[in-house]
Amino acid sequence: MKKFVTAILAGVAMTATAFASFAGEGEGVIASVDAETRTIVLQDGSTWTAADDVDLAALAPGDAIKVVYEDGTTMLTSVEKTAM
């Protein structure tokens, strides 16, 4: 019985973690990049902050990008150049 309850609790904990970490995706064209503040402004006027592990070195104004962000925030967890 103890193992059964432990298994149930572990399953509930994993499910709660999965639901707490949703991500959103989007696309746009870069208007400006500031590596010092880790911000990217898109041509639509939206401003995003890149997580510390996102490489901004290869990004420049005019680049079309696809982004993944933490849902409900403006924190980018992934930035990838795309074809226009």
Side-chain angles (χ1 to χ4, degrees), residues 39-51:
T39 57
I40 297 173
V41 178
L42 299 181
Q43 288 182 351
D44 68 2
S46 61
T47 301
W48 300 87
T49 304

Side-chain angles (χ1 to χ4, degrees), residues 21-47:
S21 60
F22 287 113
E25 295 183 358
E27 295 181 346
V29 178
I30 297 175
S32 66
V33 179
D34 186 333
E36 187 175 314
T37 61
R38 304 202 53 76
T39 57
I40 297 173
V41 178
L42 299 181
Q43 288 182 351
D44 68 2
S46 61
T47 301

Side-chain angles (χ1 to χ4, degrees), residues 3-13:
K3 287 183 181 180
F4 178 73
V5 171
T6 302
I8 295 283
L9 291 175
V12 169

Side-chain angles (χ1 to χ4, degrees), residues 12-24:
V12 169
M14 288 190 303
T15 302
T17 301
F19 284 115
S21 60
F22 287 113

